[in-house]
Amino acid sequence: MDKIGVLVVDDDQDMLKLTAAFLKKEGMEVSCATCGEEALRLLNLKTFGLMITDFDMPGMQGCELAERAREIAPGMPIIMVTGDVTGEAGSRAGEAGILKVFAKPIRFREMLETVRSLVRARNRDSRDE
């Protein structure tokens, strides 16, 4: 399998570094953004196999970022992480086209399985077109 390009978006520097380090250790190519605006700039410059975004960020929330990212990269799977899966984040995620929501603290092995599964499905779909 080719290296999976993942865009990780989180305003929490520690969480951003931890997530990026884990994904890189698993052989993925990771780009990081600390806010929605920075993520949109990167999406306009490069194609990613998947985006992982935090829900609660200053400025642009994760769901708004997902909606805007879909305009740039319509087929890109999006995962969201949040400290509150029962509240607004969970209900808005589906409306924004987010495929999976993970509660913090993140279980990285579970997230890795989801990332690989979503990328495989996307690759299959693009070959079928």
Side-chain angles (χ1 to χ4, degrees):
M1 181 184 285
D2 292 335
K3 272 196 169 191
I4 301 167
V6 180
L7 175 58
V8 180
V9 189
D10 201 316
D11 61 310
D12 179 330
Q13 288 288 333
D14 292 334
M15 185 56 108
L16 193 65
K17 289 177 187 174
L18 184 63
T19 305
F22 176 78
L23 294 172
K24 285 178 182 177
K25 180 178 168 272
E26 295 298 325
M28 297 180 196
E29 185 178 304
V30 181
S31 296
C32 296
T34 57
C35 65
E37 292 80 7
E38 185 180 358
L40 292 173
R41 279 193 298 277
L42 288 171
L43 286 167
N44 278 306
L45 295 174
K46 185 176 177 184
T47 300
F48 294 94
L50 182 120
M51 181 172 77
I52 300 170
T53 183
D54 187 24
F55 170 71
D56 189 21
M57 298 183 289
M60 188 183 309
Q61 295 282 320
C63 289
E64 180 185 351
L65 170 59
E67 290 166 349
R68 294 182 60 188
R70 291 230 167 278
E71 296 170 8
I72 299 167
M76 179 183 64
I78 302 173
I79 294 173
M80 187 169 68
V81 295
T82 181
D84 179 19
V85 293
T86 61
E88 179 186 1
S91 62
R92 290 219 36 232
E95 297 168 12
I98 294 166
L99 300 175
K100 179 79 173 169
V101 178
F102 286 94
K104 290 181 181 178
I106 300 169
R107 292 191 300 239
F108 284 103
R109 287 282 158 209
E110 183 182 341
M111 179 188 282
L112 179 63
E113 290 173 26
T114 300
V115 166
R116 288 184 171 152
S117 173
L118 290 171
V119 170
R120 275 193 302 270
R122 180 176 183 215
N123 289 342
R124 251 191 328 270
D125 291 346
S126 64
R127 282 193 303 267
D128 293 342
E129 292 176 354

